[in-house]
Amino acid sequence: MEIQLWRELLEPYALAVDEIVVKFEHLIDAYRKSGNYSPVEQVKGRLKSISSILEKCQKKGIPFEEFENHIEDIAGIRIICQFTEDIYKVVDIIKNRADMQVKEEKDYIENAKKSGYRSYHMIIQYTVETLKGPKVLHVEIQIRTLAMNFWATIEHSLQYKYKLGMTNESSNRLLHDAAEAVAKLDEEMSQVRVAIVE
């Protein structure tokens, strides 16, 4: 497929990422200007690369012309919180927004993956205005603490860099143990916060 056609297909997703990031940055700013604590610490967005889209289509047997109907993380938003309880506040904020309709939720905090991965995932429907009119897109939102994000970032880079080496049991156990330590750290930091507030 020509690069120009790819650009046209992905432009609405890039717009969605930009708009949502700005909205959450504004939310952080509004909390802070009002003198209140913001449950959102940072927000980042990314657009899935063409090669990643093609790889996912091939892996899942998705006909290329149908990729928009089956791949729900072309546009991705990552929201970072300080504390685990903030994650659920952000989930409620998203559910109460008129411009974001929640399609699917996966709580990998209460139900961590086998690897130890923890995060809260949401697939939302978000409408962007294009030259051809409004277009409803799927956007994946991942909500994590700083500690969860640290673990996930390191785990992802290790998996990517050492694909073959990450299949043995000892490395997987070490990763899982590190994830448990991260969960314990999050729990202890929440307890510190409660103690200070009280």
Side-chain angles (χ1 to χ4, degrees):
M1 183 186 290
E2 290 181 15
I3 290 293
Q4 183 57 34
L5 186 51
W6 270 112
R7 282 193 187 127
E8 288 174 18
L9 283 169
L10 296 179
E11 182 56 34
Y13 293 92
L15 178 60
V17 168
D18 290 346
E19 286 184 8
I20 294 171
V21 166
V22 166
K23 286 178 179 183
F24 277 102
E25 285 175 343
H26 177 76
L27 184 74
I28 295 168
D29 197 43
Y31 269 106
R32 291 180 180 162
K33 280 181 177 170
S34 66
N36 292 310
Y37 169 79
S38 172
V40 178
E41 178 68 17
Q42 306 167 17
V43 59
K44 298 174 183 176
R46 67 103 186 99
L47 193 64
K48 204 171 192 69
S49 68
I50 296 168
S51 60
S52 292
I53 292 170
L54 292 172
E55 189 180 317
K56 200 161 189 176
C57 284
Q58 188 177 17
K59 187 178 175 183
K60 296 197 167 192
I62 299 165
F64 170 72
E65 57 277 6
E66 294 179 23
F67 82 89
E68 286 191 274
N69 298 324
H70 297 281
I71 301 178
E72 297 180 319
D73 65 343
I74 296 168
I77 303 294
R78 184 165 297 148
I79 295 173
I80 310 296
C81 305
Q82 287 189 22
F83 302 98
T84 304
E85 54 270 27
D86 293 339
I87 292 171
Y88 295 99
K89 289 176 187 168
V90 174
V91 168
D92 287 338
I93 287 168
I94 292 169
K95 286 180 177 178
N96 288 314
R97 289 189 68 103
D99 57 348
M100 299 176 191
Q101 284 72 50
V102 178
K103 184 187 173 195
E104 189 181 324
E105 297 172 75
K106 288 183 182 173
D107 187 344
Y108 295 118
I109 299 165
E110 290 293 321
N111 305 291
K113 287 189 178 182
K114 191 177 176 183
S115 64
Y117 174 86
R118 286 175 170 84
S119 185
Y120 199 103
H121 290 201
M122 304 177 88
I123 302 295
I124 63 160
Q125 291 180 316
Y126 183 81
T127 304
V128 293
E129 293 294 333
T130 71
L131 289 175
K132 296 175 182 176
K135 181 168 183 173
V136 179
L137 306 172
H138 289 124
V139 178
E140 182 188 58
I141 301 179
Q142 297 177 351
I143 315 165
R144 306 171 177 167
T145 63
L146 290 155
M148 289 172 197
N149 191 57
F150 170 75
W151 183 93
T153 302
I154 299 297
E155 188 268 351
H156 179 77
S157 66
L158 288 173
Q159 292 281 12
Y160 180 77
K161 193 171 183 180
Y162 305 106
K163 276 185 182 174
L164 295 174
M166 294 303 293
T167 56
N168 69 64
E169 195 177 315
S170 63
S171 61
N172 286 334
R173 190 179 66 251
L174 288 169
L175 265 175
H176 187 272
D177 290 349
E180 291 301 313
V182 162
K184 181 71 176 162
L185 175 63
D186 271 333
E187 185 184 325
E188 288 176 355
M189 293 309 289
S190 288
Q191 289 170 2
V192 169
R193 177 198 199 181
V194 169
I196 290 169
V197 168
E198 287 177 352

